[in-house]
């Protein structure tokens, strides 16, 4: 009986320690593919190819939506900029589209948490 209680206490404490360690670990967000698509969008905007720009913008938006399942706060910040770039590209305003893409690329860097876990 004593070994059962001791084993249960050990396994519960080990489980809780693992969760506490995972909760304190930094979030590793990799937006390198979306960033490379943004670079392609800028190149296509400079060339003025509207259809290819919109196609790459759709791909970047779909990829970021797929990555959004991880509840990333950074994705929620840069997706509106990508949508605005796509809209500007559809209207033919490539200077504004390039500006929106550049803003989105700066927002792709994960933000540090301002909450330190204190009371």
């Amino acid at each position: 009986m004593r070994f059962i209680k001791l084993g249960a206490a050990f396994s519960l404490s080990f489980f809780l320690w693992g969760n506490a360690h995972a909760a304190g670990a930094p979030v590793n967000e990799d937006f390198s593919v979306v960033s490379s698509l943004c670079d392609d969008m800028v190149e296509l905007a400079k060339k003025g190819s509207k259809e290819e720009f919109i196609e790459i913008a759709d791909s970047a938006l779909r990829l970021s939506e797929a990555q959004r399942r991880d509840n990333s706060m950074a994705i929620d910040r840069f997706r509106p900029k990508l949508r605005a770039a796509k809209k500007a590209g559809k209207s033919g305003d490539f200077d504004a589209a390039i500006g929106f893409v550049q803003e989105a690329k700066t927002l792709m860097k994960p933000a540090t948490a301002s909450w330190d876990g204190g009371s």
Side-chain angles (χ1 to χ4, degrees):
M1 184 73 169
R2 188 177 209 184
F3 289 116
I4 294 173
K5 288 183 181 179
L6 185 62
F10 176 73
S11 63
L12 286 175
S13 65
F14 183 73
F15 175 73
L16 292 174
W17 178 78
N19 284 342
H21 178 69
V27 176
N28 186 13
E29 298 175 324
D30 184 22
F31 303 123
S32 59
V33 177
V34 179
S35 179
S36 68
L37 287 174
C38 287
D39 292 337
D40 295 341
M41 288 169 63
V42 169
E43 289 177 22
L44 292 171
K46 288 179 181 177
K47 291 179 184 176
S49 54
K50 184 177 183 178
E51 292 81 18
E52 293 174 346
F53 179 85
I54 293 170
E55 183 179 330
I56 297 293
D58 281 336
S59 298
L61 285 168
R62 274 188 257 126
L63 180 61
S64 62
E65 181 64 32
Q67 288 180 331
R68 194 174 182 190
R69 290 179 288 175
D70 298 333
N71 295 326
S72 171
M73 291 172 48
I75 291 175
D76 290 336
R77 287 191 304 268
F78 74 76
R79 281 191 89 235
K81 299 294 182 184
L82 291 179
R83 277 189 245 120
K86 180 182 171 184
K87 186 176 180 181
K90 276 185 179 180
S91 68
D93 189 5
F94 290 115
D95 292 331
I98 290 173
F100 286 126
V101 171
Q102 294 298 335
E103 288 177 28
K105 283 190 70 167
T106 60
L107 293 173
M108 285 183 195
K109 297 178 182 118
T112 58
S114 60
W115 181 65
D116 64 352
S119 56

